[in-house]
Amino acid sequence: MKALLTLFALLLTPPLLAQSALPPAPYADRQISDPALERKAKALMETIRCLTCQSQSIADSNASMAGDMRSQIRERIMAGEEPEHIRRWLIERYGDWVSYEPTADPVLWPLWGAPLLLIGLGLLLLRGRIKRKARR
Amino acid sequence: MRKLLIWLPLALFAGFFILFASGLLKPDDRVITSKQVGKTLPDFTLPPAASDRPALMSRELATGKPRLLNIFASWCVPCAAEAPQLLALKRAGVEIDAIAIRDAREDVDRFLARYGNPYDRIGLDARSSVQIALGSSGVPESFVIDGKGRIAYQHVGDIRADDIPMILQQLEDAR
């Protein structure tokens, strides 16, 4: 019974379910011939999260849906669309979740603030040390 | 002040420990819901996916009466598990249309012959483009579309037997 359940659980893992019989979309695994456009597309794809393999970017994922998203992104960039426009379009559909690029959302303020805070603390420590050394 | 400062690293450690432990212990939620719920359906025209069902256009979903739009694929195991529930909804008078994702006509025909066909229309989305435009993150998913073509509700994953009353209620609420 336990083995059967394990087998069933394995059958339900998303990557397996994501594979279909169709060949990949035209630009899923083919680069744009213009290297500048391909660079733009690649940079965007590396910051868009795969919906099937949720800890990978669509640039790294072999899931068929990630392939379809790569193809769509390349086609839209070839049509002259700006990467940030495509990112906003995707966020409108899947929420901030889909983008790896941090936003200015209040929940992320500690993330942006932490480096400043740490540098401030470091400077304070440094000043203390210098003062002590000077006294000696 | 100095005495208190000595405890700062330990306090930080404890803080991070609690943060990470609570993150690890909290059950993982992998459901990505569509932000398009409440908005009008995207415009689309899809070719037919099955031999004996017509194709699907977005405006055919706005008929003045709520409909269920099921996203499925013949290669998807939970979709087969969901089939009896869709047939039960059909028997209860629900009008159901479908979008088949990355599918081939013979495969869809075989799937419907084997598991039953509750659908009025089936569109083929060979490149997942309508699926992405809907904000759908996988198969199966079901959307309740109200009479004006607005997305009223999204159900992620297969519809289980005990979800049926809730789906019927969502269809009723979308009226």
Side-chain angles (χ1 to χ4, degrees):
Chain A
M1 188 61 197
K2 215 170 198 176
L4 206 74
L5 276 176
T6 321
L7 190 73
F8 197 58
L10 277 176
L11 278 175
L12 285 176
T13 50
L16 187 72
L17 298 179
Q19 310 308 318
S20 73
L22 282 196
Y27 280 94
D29 301 307
R30 200 177 113 208
Q31 300 192 337
I32 307 174
S33 47
D34 180 344
L37 289 185
E38 174 63 22
R39 256 198 305 281
K40 258 177 153 178
K42 189 89 191 356
L44 176 64
M45 291 186 297
E46 277 165 355
T47 58
I48 296 297
R49 198 159 161 181
C50 172
L51 292 145
T52 312
C53 310
Q54 299 188 351
S55 45
Q56 281 184 311
S57 77
I58 57 167
D60 294 325
S61 173
N62 287 324
S64 53
M65 199 179 178
D68 286 343
M69 283 174 104
R70 286 199 299 274
S71 189
Q72 194 182 112
I73 283 178
R74 285 196 172 108
E75 284 162 52
R76 285 167 73 164
I77 289 208
M78 278 190 287
E81 205 172 327
E82 276 309 310
E84 286 314 305
H85 187 260
I86 303 175
R87 185 194 306 282
R88 272 199 305 280
W89 187 87
L90 284 168
I91 289 176
E92 268 170 39
R93 268 136 197 95
Y94 296 107
D96 284 336
W97 183 93
V98 80
S99 169
Y100 277 127
E101 201 95 303
T103 60
D105 197 72
V107 79
L108 291 180
W109 287 353
L111 182 75
W112 295 110
L116 292 176
L117 197 79
L118 289 175
I119 286 181
L121 266 174
L123 284 176
L124 228 72
L125 264 171
L126 196 69
R127 204 185 63 165
R129 292 253 158 148
I130 290 172
K131 259 191 188 160
R132 230 183 308 154
K133 245 194 186 146
R135 235 179 285 148
R136 234 191 280 156
Chain B
M1 180 66 194
R2 182 141 286 241
K3 258 192 188 145
L4 272 177
L5 221 54
I6 276 180
W7 295 99
L8 185 69
L10 186 68
L12 274 176
F13 171 76
F16 278 113
F17 186 83
I18 291 168
L19 185 72
F20 292 147
S22 65
L24 282 171
L25 293 175
K26 198 173 65 191
D28 206 5
D29 183 13
R30 290 170 169 270
V31 174
I32 309 304
T33 53
S34 172
K35 300 289 175 282
Q36 292 290 299
V37 176
K39 296 187 186 164
T40 309
L41 271 174
D43 242 355
F44 61 82
T45 307
L46 291 173
S51 304
D52 58 350
R53 285 293 185 275
L56 183 67
M57 253 185 277
S58 50
R59 59 179 170 76
E60 287 165 337
L61 289 157
T63 55
K65 199 180 151 203
R67 303 179 73 87
L68 198 64
L69 174 64
N70 183 238
I71 315 283
F72 82 109
S74 66
W75 44 266
C76 140
V77 183
C79 299
E82 181 184 54
Q85 283 74 259
L86 290 176
L87 288 166
L89 284 165
K90 173 84 184 164
R91 276 194 301 275
V94 180
E95 286 165 10
I96 311 174
D97 297 300
I99 296 178
I101 306 297
R102 297 187 60 80
D103 233 320
R105 185 178 285 221
E106 315 83 80
D107 294 337
V108 176
D109 286 347
R110 210 175 306 131
F111 180 90
L112 296 175
R114 188 165 167 195
Y115 299 108
N117 188 345
Y119 308 123
D120 292 341
R121 295 164 187 280
I122 312 175
L124 174 66
D125 190 9
R127 303 266 176 258
S128 316
S129 55
V130 175
Q131 185 181 28
I132 297 169
L134 279 167
S136 153
S137 57
V139 275
E141 274 185 26
S142 303
F143 292 89
V144 170
I145 313 294
D146 76 3
K148 294 193 206 82
R150 193 185 61 96
I151 304 169
Y153 172 74
Q154 178 198 28
H155 184 86
V156 179
D158 54 327
I159 297 173
R160 308 271 166 95
D162 48 0
D163 292 328
I164 290 181
M166 182 269 293
I167 298 283
L168 287 172
Q169 188 57 49
Q170 290 289 349
L171 283 155
E172 194 53 46
D173 292 346
R175 231 166 245 283

